Amino acid sequence: MEPTRLSNRALAALCLACAFFGATSTRVSLVCAQASPPPNGTWIEADPVHTQVMVGDDGQTYVAIWLDVPAAPRANRRPPMAVSIVIDTSGSMAGTKIEQARLAALQLLETVRDGDVVSVFGFESQVWQHVAPTVVTQASRRTIIRAIEGIGVGGGTAMYDGLAAGLAALSQASSEHPVRRLFLISDGHANVGPSSAEQLGALAATGLQRDVHVTGIGVGVDYDPATVGQVVVRSAGRFYHLAEPHQLAGVVAEEIAALSQTLATNAVVEFEPAAGVRVLEGVTEGSQVLAGRFQLSIGSLYTGRRVELLVHVQLPTDTLGAHPLGVARLRYELPNRAREARVQERPVTYTVTQDRRAATRSVSSRAYVISHTQLALRDNERAVEALRTGDQQAAATALDAAAARLEVAANQAPSAPARARLNERAATYRRQSSSSRSASSGAAQRDVGATIRAHAYHDSAY
């Protein structure tokens, strides 16, 4: 199979295909006849950090929302997949990196099943279609393997066009392939065509209309974690920083194994405030406040996945007694051909009291942990920016400050599990601070910065 160079006209046609394949989810309540609870009960939970507040206080607090998708028994059948692997084939990928990228693509082919759809693109100064969207069969595997083995390197980094080609290929997948994932592998900065993090992130966001999510894999220390991160966040995907290229095949296999256990697709979390309650901001990266309502797309939900989100709100405190705070809502589609819509809801309440001791002690353990870990990510971002400019001391100071706040929170935690989680996260920040101080070269600083960012994305559901 000879690779096909995609002309500007061909790329434009692919982008138009991506733009026109839109889908609108239907909102369905669990109380409707056509909706049913998921296996093993409701996945979404939510609580304010304090379930009781003092009368007359300013009412500012945080609401934590979390999903614990059950680790269901491995099913004999799993949803069919459409997968595209988009590989940076610029000159900097020569040698071990491209060898490992080919190995990762071959590993993907070994992991998918007959009936899945696979496509492979390479991008340097232009985009090459090595494998058009192809249904995997025993015969087609051999053809795909030959195409992957022939992938070469040379030229610049037209990441935008490569991403556009992969998104367009997946956007044309049929409803029989509800799980759609693009693997973006790169070791450098986009430098041909649109190249900013905002432009690439906006392109990745268009894939959400067809439930296409991007696993962004940065290899080495010379790529831009902020750009790959925006692609991941805007597509509700997953982020990986690999210091060594030999980790590539394992990451791809891990991702495919998780996606094989998909229980829901096109998942969106919302928080709709009750009358009088205001949503001030979504703390979790990638979230939005639209028409007064918190919203975040979180992509596919597979067995064992944990998602933790944080919303900053202000609530009325002038009337004693119990009050509605809002509704946390999970909207998703079943990974079947009909893409049946489902909704789970979790009402959230609070109580206004005159008893200050009761208000102080009314702590939700899980919400307490989520609020402190999510707020600590702001120090994390300051550390990443400091390392980007070469200021190791400022990075270490920001990380130490985050660790100190988490240690104080751990000492005041309402439960032993909460204390353990906060101390564990504080220890991670302390290690990252030490690494920041000892990173003497520019390459070492970039590696530490990318590692810190990867931990932050993990804590933010990516």
Side-chain angles (χ1 to χ4, degrees), residues 88 90 92 123-124 155-160 186-192 194-196 200 219 221-228 388 446:
D88 181 347
S90 61
S92 62
F123 62 91
E124 22 102 346
T157 309
M159 186 182 294
Y160 186 97
S186 180
D187 77 331
H189 287 245
N191 57 23
V192 176
S195 301
S196 70
L200 283 149
V219 182
V221 298
D222 293 322
Y223 73 98
D224 181 14
T227 296
V228 176
R388 191 186 66 79
R446 290 192 296 275

Side-chain angles (χ1 to χ4, degrees), residues 82-433:
V83 182
S84 184
I85 187 162
V86 179
I87 302 172
D88 181 347
T89 56
S90 61
S92 62
M93 286 285 289
T96 302
K97 291 177 183 176
I98 196 62
E99 291 171 4
Q100 293 298 320
R102 290 192 206 103
L103 184 60
L106 292 170
Q107 177 66 53
L108 181 146
L109 189 60
E110 288 184 11
T111 310
V112 297
R113 298 180 182 178
D114 284 3
D116 290 339
V117 174
V118 169
S119 58
V120 181
F121 297 90
F123 62 91
E124 22 102 346
S125 297
Q126 53 198 2
V127 178
W128 295 89
Q129 179 178 267
H130 295 279
V131 179
T134 301
V135 176
V136 176
T137 64
Q138 185 174 356
S140 69
R141 285 179 191 272
R142 293 191 291 270
T143 304
I144 296 171
I145 287 171
R146 288 195 297 272
I148 292 170
E149 290 174 340
I151 295 175
V153 298
T157 309
M159 186 182 294
Y160 186 97
D161 288 346
L163 180 61
L167 287 171
L170 292 175
S171 294
Q172 298 175 61
S174 74
S175 60
E176 295 178 355
H177 295 84
V179 177
R180 300 160 189 169
R181 181 67 54 145
L182 188 153
F183 289 86
L184 176 67
I185 299 173
S186 180
D187 77 331
H189 287 245
N191 57 23
V192 176
S195 301
S196 70
E198 292 75 16
Q199 289 169 316
L200 283 149
L203 174 63
T206 64
L208 282 176
Q209 297 178 30
R210 288 283 288 172
D211 199 23
V212 178
H213 311 290
V214 180
T215 294
I217 306 174
V219 182
V221 298
D222 293 322
Y223 73 98
D224 181 14
T227 296
V228 176
Q230 275 299 296
V231 169
V232 167
V233 169
R234 297 291 300 278
S235 71
R238 298 257 285 175
F239 179 92
Y240 288 89
H241 164 62
L242 305 184
E244 299 295 335
H246 65 77
Q247 301 167 289
L248 267 170
V251 165
V252 170
E254 176 185 327
E255 282 285 278
I256 293 293
L259 293 171
S260 295
Q261 295 298 301
T262 296
L263 300 180
T265 62
N266 201 25
V268 177
V269 174
E270 297 176 347
F271 180 74
E272 183 176 355
V277 177
R278 287 198 305 137
V279 174
L280 301 178
E281 65 170 330
V283 177
T284 305
E285 183 168 3
S287 61
Q288 302 178 77
V289 179
L290 301 173
R293 179 183 301 182
F294 169 93
Q295 181 175 300
L296 178 65
S297 294
I298 56 173
S300 297
L301 297 177
Y302 42 81
T303 60
R305 185 179 178 191
R306 184 178 73 185
V307 178
E308 296 180 334
L309 314 173
L310 191 65
V311 189
H312 188 193
V313 303
Q314 186 169 35
L315 41 84
T317 63
D318 54 345
T319 305
L320 293 172
H323 304 277
L325 202 161
V327 176
R329 182 179 294 113
L330 170 64
R331 295 191 288 109
Y332 62 96
E333 294 172 353
L334 298 181
N336 54 29
R337 186 171 183 176
R339 299 177 67 86
E340 300 163 71
R342 294 289 186 268
V343 174
Q344 298 179 34
E345 293 185 344
R346 170 67 159 81
V348 184
T349 61
Y350 72 103
T351 299
V352 178
T353 181
Q354 292 177 316
D355 187 338
R356 185 167 296 280
R357 183 179 181 188
T360 302
R361 298 178 64 179
S362 66
V363 180
S364 165
S365 183
R366 184 75 176 266
Y368 182 87
V369 170
I370 293 171
S371 67
H372 284 286
T373 54
Q374 291 271 312
L375 291 170
L377 294 177
R378 293 175 174 176
D379 291 310
N380 187 303
E381 185 57 36
R382 283 193 284 273
V384 169
E385 180 59 25
L387 284 170
R388 191 186 66 79
T389 60
D391 193 340
Q392 298 165 257
Q393 185 57 47
T397 298
L399 293 166
D400 283 336
R405 277 193 284 273
L406 289 171
E407 287 161 355
V408 170
N411 289 335
Q412 301 171 354
S415 67
R419 187 176 308 113
R421 274 197 65 188
L422 290 168
N423 277 326
E424 179 184 4
R425 197 67 189 94
T428 298
Y429 279 111
R430 293 292 187 195
R431 289 192 297 270
Q432 291 173 345
S433 172

